[in-house]
């Protein structure tokens, strides 16, 4: 029979069978998509800051048009070490520097343009703020990231897409080659309506020199970014937080990043910044509704014309770090010090994020129960999935044993990297995380309890 089939048809059939036998290149189900090791490491950073500082700082504006003279940029006390120390005190693990905003002014002596610090009076034109910041940040043991705006309102080549692609790629290579490991590259599509960028080329250049850098971009900008925008600048995740995004049938693990400024509606410093500083309560709520819902928080900070963060900002950042530790830090976790037994789930109750409890093989429902030596009072639960294997929990509840029955305190769908549930205070000696539904056996890194004193306010 095979002799009656043309040889080229037989070869095509054999190739088809071979392809069917190979692993599927693109997952067909959300639960099949898993993060890269670099994404897992990035998500564990939880919290970073982004620094806006350029001629806009002197001109009392948010968006420059690229016409400001380089002579405007002349800080006399610039100290990236102060920025890094203040960010670290808040709990941030990395700092992103806006190396070039939409006005096109470069904070390093780029060889691609004259519109940079090399033509400013700062340090006689010999300064390199990217280098200074990178070194200061690494000295504090933090990661360093870069924002390089695709939109450039100064560069004449911007009108020619191909010429500008070459220009932008060359600037990106300068940054990727000379300033050490990059934790995150921030790409913003603002102002780019109608302009075509060769993002394939940009990312290929970046991956050549910085294979572990995470690329942030709005999901509409291009399909293969590593991180996605939350969709607002208010600091909140809306709804259930799933890590896998479907972009026109293309499934990809893209965790959400929540960006918001320390000052209300101000990314750059302004003369009235003392009136726009967010309150401590506002910032704690932002942390709870970003990091506490499994997202990544990037908080905008802005040096003034001296090149320093205002003291009020430094103090507020310190207050934020202290408040988060007091509410959700290891010393406030009620589980390890009061635990009588967690059975096989001990690895999720030890306060160690490098260990985890696994549900039985083949299960799609499981419970993790904690038994205490004596009743404890709590109003918040923090749960974490081991996301290396993907996001598997699809419905869960936090429950307490009271009056001879399990009482449901909170219920939702997604846990993901982290989920903080808040509810009215309850006192109990038995508490459980009830996995009501999962795509595959779940892995739980941590199940922690806290008494924050906030009660049911803002519970979800």
């Amino acid at each position: 029979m095979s002799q009656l089939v043309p040889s080229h048809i037989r070869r095509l059939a054999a190739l088809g069978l071979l392809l069917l036998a190979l692993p599927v290149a693109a997952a067909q189900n959300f639960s099949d998509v898993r993060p890269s090791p670099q994404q897992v490491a990035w998500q564990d950073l939880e919290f970073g800051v982004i620094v806006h500082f350029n001629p806009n700082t002197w001109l009392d504006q948010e968006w420059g048009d690229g016409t400001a003279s380089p002579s405007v940029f002349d800080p006399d006390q610039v100290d990236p070490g102060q920025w890094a120390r203040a960010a670290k005190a808040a709990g941030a693990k990395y700092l992103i520097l806006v190396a070039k905003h939409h006005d096109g002014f470069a904070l390093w002596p780029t060889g691609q343009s004259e519109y940079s610090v090399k033509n400013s009076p700062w340090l006689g034109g010999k300064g390199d703020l990217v280098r200074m910041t990178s070194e200061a940040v690494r000295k504090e043991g933090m990661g360093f990231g870069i924002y390089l705006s695709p939109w450039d309102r100064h560069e004449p080549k911007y009108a020619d897409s191909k010429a500008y692609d070459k220009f932008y790629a060359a600037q990106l290579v300068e940054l990727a080659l000379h300033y050490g490991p990059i934790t995150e590259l921030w790409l913003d599509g603002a102002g780019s309506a109608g302009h075509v960028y060769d993002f394939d080329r940009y990312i290929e250049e970046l991956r050549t020199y910085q294979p572990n850098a995470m690329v942030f971009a709005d999901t509409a900008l291009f399909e293969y970014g590593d991180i996605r925008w939350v969709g607002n600048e208010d600091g909140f995740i809306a709804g259930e937080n799933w890590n896998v995004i479907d972009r026109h049938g293309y499934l990809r693990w893209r965790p959400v990043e929540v960006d918001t400024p320390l000052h209300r509606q101000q990314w750059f410093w302004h003369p009235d910044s003392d009136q726009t500083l967010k309150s401590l309560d506002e910032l704690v709520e932002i942390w709870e509704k970003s990091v506490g819902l499994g997202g990544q928080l990037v908080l905008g900070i802005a040096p003034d014309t001296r090149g320093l963060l205002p003291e009020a900002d430094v103090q507020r950042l310190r207050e934020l770090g202290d408040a988060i530790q007091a509410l959700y830090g290891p010393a406030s976790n009620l589980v390890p010090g009061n635990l009588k037994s967690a059975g096989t789930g001990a690895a999720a109750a030890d306060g160690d994020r490098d260990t985890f409890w696994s549900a039985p093989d083949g299960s799609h429902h499981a419970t993790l129960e904690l038994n205490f030596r004596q009743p404890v009072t709590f109003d918040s639960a923090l749960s974490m999935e081991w996301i290396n294997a993907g996001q598997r929990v699809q419905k869960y509840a936090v429950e307490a044993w009271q009056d001879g029955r399990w009482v449901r305190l909170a219920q939702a769908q997604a846990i993901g990297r982290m989920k903080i549930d808040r509810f009215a205070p309850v006192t109990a000696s038995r508490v459980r995380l009830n996995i009501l539904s999962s795509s595959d056996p779940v892995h739980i890194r941590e199940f922690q309890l806290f008494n924050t004193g906030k009660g049911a306010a803002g519970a979800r």
Side-chain angles (χ1 to χ4, degrees):
M1 184 70 177
S2 62
Q3 294 179 354
L4 301 178
V5 181
S7 60
H8 70 283
I9 297 296
R10 292 201 305 272
R11 287 194 296 271
L12 287 174
L15 177 60
L17 290 172
L18 175 62
L19 291 174
L20 287 174
L22 293 174
V24 178
Q28 300 301 305
N29 189 288
F30 281 78
S31 60
D32 295 331
V33 182
R34 301 181 180 188
S36 69
Q38 296 94 330
Q39 286 173 313
V40 171
W42 178 84
Q43 287 187 257
D44 269 348
L45 296 176
E46 293 187 346
F47 176 20
V49 298
I50 184 167
V51 178
H52 285 72
F53 184 54
N54 77 0
N56 289 345
T57 305
W58 282 260
L59 299 174
D60 191 18
Q61 62 188 16
E62 288 287 294
W63 290 37
D65 62 7
T67 62
S69 169
S71 64
V72 170
F73 188 84
D74 192 18
D76 58 358
Q77 300 179 52
V78 65
D79 183 5
Q82 185 229 22
W83 315 343
R85 291 189 297 273
K88 187 175 181 179
K93 301 295 193 302
Y94 60 103
L95 182 149
I96 301 168
L97 177 66
V98 178
K100 185 186 79 168
H101 202 246
H102 312 319
D103 62 351
F105 186 80
L107 296 184
W108 78 104
T110 175
Q112 312 308 314
S113 169
E114 296 303 306
Y115 198 52
S116 78
V117 290
K118 67 186 179 184
N119 284 310
S120 77
W122 176 59
L123 296 183
K126 302 298 183 182
D128 184 341
L129 194 54
V130 175
R131 183 168 307 283
M132 289 176 63
T133 306
S134 170
E135 292 174 352
V137 167
R138 298 186 202 287
K139 183 177 179 180
E140 296 302 320
M142 302 169 68
F144 178 64
I146 287 173
Y147 174 125
L148 185 66
S149 173
W151 188 28
D152 190 321
R153 304 181 74 179
H154 175 85
E155 177 53 48
K157 295 186 181 71
Y158 189 78
D160 181 337
S161 290
K162 289 187 177 180
Y164 184 72
D165 284 336
K166 182 178 180 181
F167 169 89
Y168 183 92
Q171 286 197 321
L172 180 59
V173 168
E174 287 179 351
L175 293 169
L177 273 177
H178 301 302
Y179 299 97
I182 295 174
T183 298
E184 179 178 341
L185 174 69
W186 223 90
L187 292 178
D188 186 348
S192 298
H195 189 96
V196 177
Y197 300 99
D198 190 351
F199 284 113
D200 287 357
R201 177 178 180 178
Y202 302 166
I203 304 307
E204 285 166 1
E205 294 278 19
L206 178 71
R207 296 284 186 238
T208 298
Y209 306 106
Q210 297 280 347
N212 294 321
M214 293 291 95
V215 177
F216 166 90
D218 180 11
T219 52
L221 208 56
F222 50 88
E223 65 186 10
Y224 46 80
D226 302 301
I227 311 159
R228 76 181 194 272
W229 183 44
V230 71
N232 66 67
E233 293 185 350
D234 300 323
F236 301 150
I237 294 173
E240 300 285 348
N241 182 17
W242 303 104
N243 284 281
V244 177
I245 288 294
D246 180 348
R247 187 179 187 274
H248 308 298
Y250 179 89
L251 301 185
R252 185 169 176 84
W253 185 279
R254 289 191 71 173
V256 65
E257 182 177 278
V258 181
D259 60 315
T260 193
L262 180 64
H263 290 260
R264 286 183 288 278
Q265 299 182 333
Q266 293 182 350
W267 292 97
F268 284 91
W269 179 84
H270 295 267
D272 68 345
S273 285
D274 58 333
Q275 303 171 32
T276 61
L277 183 61
K278 290 176 180 174
S279 70
L280 178 59
D281 286 345
E282 287 178 285
L283 293 171
V284 169
E285 183 182 18
I286 285 169
W287 187 94
E288 290 173 334
K289 292 186 176 179
S290 56
V291 178
L293 297 182
Q296 198 95 342
L297 174 61
V298 170
L299 187 65
I301 61 175
D304 58 23
T305 54
R306 300 171 301 167
L308 298 173
L309 295 178
E311 182 52 40
D313 293 25
V314 173
Q315 180 178 343
R316 188 56 42 84
L317 290 167
R318 186 185 310 116
E319 292 170 350
L320 174 60
D322 291 344
I324 296 304
Q325 284 301 305
L327 289 168
Y328 303 108
S332 299
N333 179 12
L334 299 170
V335 174
N338 295 290
L339 192 64
K340 177 182 178 182
S341 172
T344 58
D350 58 4
D352 183 353
R353 295 183 178 187
D354 288 331
T355 63
F356 55 89
W357 164 78
S358 296
D361 288 345
S363 66
H364 297 280
H365 164 72
T367 57
L368 170 59
E369 183 176 337
L370 306 179
N371 290 275
F372 300 107
R373 292 190 297 270
Q374 57 188 16
V376 296
T377 300
F378 58 97
D379 59 18
S380 301
L382 185 154
S383 310
M384 298 181 71
E385 279 190 75
W386 184 71
I387 59 173
N388 304 55
Q391 187 170 357
R392 296 184 171 187
V393 176
Q394 297 181 341
K395 188 176 182 180
Y396 75 96
V398 178
E399 299 170 338
W401 183 260
Q402 293 189 308
D403 300 324
R405 65 186 182 90
W406 287 106
V407 176
R408 191 154 292 178
L409 307 176
Q411 179 178 311
Q413 296 177 24
I415 291 181
R417 189 196 166 275
M418 180 189 291
K419 181 65 173 295
I420 294 176
D421 289 293
R422 291 165 55 187
F423 34 79
V426 61
T427 301
S429 57
R430 295 173 63 190
V431 183
R432 72 180 185 182
L433 178 63
N434 188 356
I435 308 300
L436 300 168
S437 177
S438 64
S439 59
D440 285 297
V442 300
H443 309 289
I444 302 297
R445 294 173 79 181
E446 284 295 312
F447 182 47
Q448 303 178 353
L449 301 175
F450 302 90
N451 190 19
T452 65
K454 296 186 176 187
R460 65 171 274 146

